[in-house]
């Protein structure tokens, strides 16, 4: 009976991932400030590094942002440094260059956690592909979410905290459930923003 439950869970996860990809949620990221490493799931690794084989690995340096559009790299690096020093919500919009040379727009939403001295410990979040919604113009950074979406945003923040708290020591089914929750919230946020 347990095998059927696992098979059903696996099928549900695959359906959810398919739906999320179709709805523009394309990846998750996790930045360990203390150790200076970042890790991505397969979608984020493909989009941010250009190499999906870097998924679930600790990455440092230039390779962590190799696919980010050259005109956005410096701006984004500065934005992420500022966001880490302040803590809290991290929200940015920027371009990446796909392996085929096309340009994609991403909305990155996450949260930075600090220690009791205000030093950044970890930032983690999701990526939403907003390429279809972009028709030119400048990138923007929002400091706070619109009021109507506040509950979903708060739930996403809590889900990110849950995923971070669980870490790699949690049972696989608990980690999968936390990931499912995070993807579901990302999907709901993307729908609410009309993406």
């Amino acid at each position: 009976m347990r095998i059927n439950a696992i098979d059903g869970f696996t099928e549900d996860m695959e359906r959810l991932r398919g739906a999320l990809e179709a709805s523009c949620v394309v990846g998750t990221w996790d930045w360990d400030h203390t150790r200076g490493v970042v890790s991505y799931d397969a979608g984020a690794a493909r989009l941010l590094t250009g190499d999906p084989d870097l998924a679930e690995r600790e990455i440092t340096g230039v390779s962590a942002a190799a696919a980010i559009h050259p005109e956005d790299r410096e701006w984004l690096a500065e934005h992420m440094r500022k966001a880490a020093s302040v803590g809290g919500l991290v929200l940015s919009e920027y371009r990446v260059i796909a392996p085929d040379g096309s340009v994609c727009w991403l909305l990155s939403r996450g949260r930075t956690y600090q220690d009791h001295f205000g030093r950044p410990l970890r930032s983690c979040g999701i990526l939403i592909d907003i390429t279809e919604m972009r028709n030119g113009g400048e990138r923007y950074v929002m400091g706070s979410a619109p009021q109507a979406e506040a509950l979903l945003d708060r739930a996403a923040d809590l889900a990110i905290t849950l995923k971070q708290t669980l870490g790699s020591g949690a049972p696989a089914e608990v980690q999968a459930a936390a990931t499912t929750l995070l993807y579901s919230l990302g999907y709901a946020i993307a729908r609410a923003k009309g993406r």
Side-chain angles (χ1 to χ4, degrees), residues 22-35:
S23 65
C24 305
V25 177
V26 292
T28 63
W29 53 270
D30 189 334
W31 180 14
D32 183 334
H33 297 284
T34 306
R35 296 176 44 235

Side-chain angles (χ1 to χ4, degrees), residues 1-51:
M1 185 150 198
R2 181 163 166 76
I3 293 173
N4 289 337
I6 291 172
D7 289 343
F9 182 76
T10 302
E11 289 173 14
D12 289 345
M13 285 295 292
E14 290 305 314
R15 275 196 297 270
L16 178 60
R17 284 190 181 151
L20 290 171
E21 188 171 316
S23 65
C24 305
V25 177
V26 292
T28 63
W29 53 270
D30 189 334
W31 180 14
D32 183 334
H33 297 284
T34 306
R35 296 176 44 235
V37 297
V38 66
S39 62
Y40 303 129
D41 71 354
R46 179 180 55 78
L47 288 165
L48 298 176
T49 71
D51 185 356

Side-chain angles (χ1 to χ4, degrees), residues 167-186:
S168 60
E173 65 273 9
V174 174
Q175 289 179 357
T179 298
T180 300
L181 174 62
L182 192 55
Y183 273 122
S184 296
L185 287 166

